[in-house]
Amino acid sequence: DQQVKQNSPSLSVQEGRISILNCDYTNSMFDYFLWYKKYPAEGPTFLISISSIKDKNEDGRFTVFLNKSAKHLSLHIVPSQPGDSAVYFCAASATNTGNQFYFGTGTSLTVIP
Amino acid sequence: GAVVSQHPSRVICKSGTSVKIECRSLDFQATTMFWYRQFPKQSLMLMATSNEGSKATYEQGVEKDKFLINHASLTLSTLTVTSAHPEDSSFYICSATPLADTQYFGPGTRLTVL
């Protein structure tokens, strides 16, 4: 079964507004979480990560929030720009399993100018 | 939910040997599978696109004779690293797409070449 889930396959947001992408996981042993951005015909590019000892990590316009009790993480993009239009994948790994990655199925973000 | 598995999850081999990595879609048929290699800063480089019943399409700079890809069935693609060298040590990840425009990633295989 999918251990990492992204239940929204697509999201459209107006330029300048906030984009919120959500990700849920089932394995409580996951202790490291990542977000990737993917353009068509390219490999996913690492965007931002968060360790389970934190509940928030910020990098410029991108902020990742982690709610361990809910097994939920989210990526906030503020303000959204047309260049942010891409597919976003969340991934999780657990130190005690050799850091294997478990990816969600992706959310396609469209930022409307 | 759809699951993609990879086997083995880790492999250590001597320089000069060949290593085969399997990627399986467990509950769906995947006409297309992708192979990625993880580089520093954790980004994934697309190595090749594997289509069932036809030759794989390799990205520029990827040696097709070194990284052999066989998409033998709608649920199995294999990546063979031939004559592996220490610089081939990396994390290899596959993903599979059913007919819909969704990618399901495998958990990855860590290759260490001594």
Side-chain angles (χ1 to χ4, degrees):
Chain A
D1 198 11
Q2 283 281 114
Q3 296 192 48
V4 177
K5 297 180 182 179
Q6 292 175 258
N7 293 317
S8 298
S10 63
L11 175 68
S12 290
V13 172
Q14 285 289 136
E15 180 179 4
R17 308 293 275 272
I18 184 172
S19 295
I20 300 176
L21 297 100
N22 294 303
C23 180
D24 297 293
Y25 60 97
T26 58
N27 189 342
S28 58
M29 298 304 293
F30 288 147
D31 55 11
Y32 190 60
F33 305 88
L34 312 93
W35 282 96
Y36 286 83
K37 178 179 180 179
K38 183 183 181 302
Y39 292 114
E42 295 181 10
T45 302
F46 170 72
L47 194 58
I48 192 169
S49 65
I50 188 168
S51 162
S52 61
I53 62 173
K54 292 186 168 185
D55 53 20
K56 176 182 174 182
N57 188 25
E58 192 172 349
D59 183 3
R61 296 186 297 114
F62 302 91
T63 303
V64 57
F65 294 92
L66 175 63
N67 183 334
K68 290 185 287 294
S69 60
K71 295 192 181 70
H72 177 84
L73 67 154
S74 60
L75 175 68
H76 292 210
I77 307 174
V78 180
S80 301
Q81 300 173 354
D84 297 329
S85 296
V87 178
Y88 290 79
F89 293 93
C90 66
S93 68
T95 306
N96 67 352
T97 58
N99 296 111
Q100 286 180 282
F101 282 78
Y102 294 86
F103 280 81
T105 53
T107 296
S108 179
L109 172 66
T110 301
V111 179
I112 304 165
Chain B
V3 175
V4 173
S5 70
Q6 283 185 237
H7 178 79
S9 57
R10 298 185 208 188
V11 58
I12 300 172
C13 69
K14 292 183 179 179
S15 184
T17 60
S18 294
V19 174
K20 180 186 283 189
I21 303 169
E22 293 185 348
C23 176
R24 291 183 186 272
S25 56
L26 297 184
D27 56 2
F28 66 97
Q29 293 184 328
T31 54
T32 304
M33 289 184 173
F34 302 91
W35 285 96
Y36 297 89
R37 178 174 175 176
Q38 185 187 47
F39 277 92
K41 297 192 178 180
Q42 306 189 67
S43 290
L44 303 180
M45 181 195 80
L46 177 64
M47 297 175 65
T49 302
S50 169
N51 296 296
E52 189 269 337
S54 64
K55 290 184 179 180
T57 303
Y58 290 82
E59 296 299 305
Q60 193 171 10
V62 178
E63 298 175 60
K64 61 179 70 174
D65 293 330
K66 180 168 186 63
F67 298 99
L68 301 179
I69 291 172
N70 182 22
H71 198 142
S73 73
L74 285 171
T75 60
L76 173 65
S77 176
T78 59
L79 168 68
T80 301
V81 183
T82 62
S83 187
H85 287 95
E87 58 265 30
D88 299 323
S89 297
S90 190
F91 199 63
Y92 293 87
I93 296 177
C94 72
S95 70
T97 58
L99 292 177
D101 188 22
T102 304
Q103 276 198 356
Y104 296 94
F105 284 83
T109 297
R110 182 163 298 284
L111 170 64
T112 303
V113 184
L114 302 176

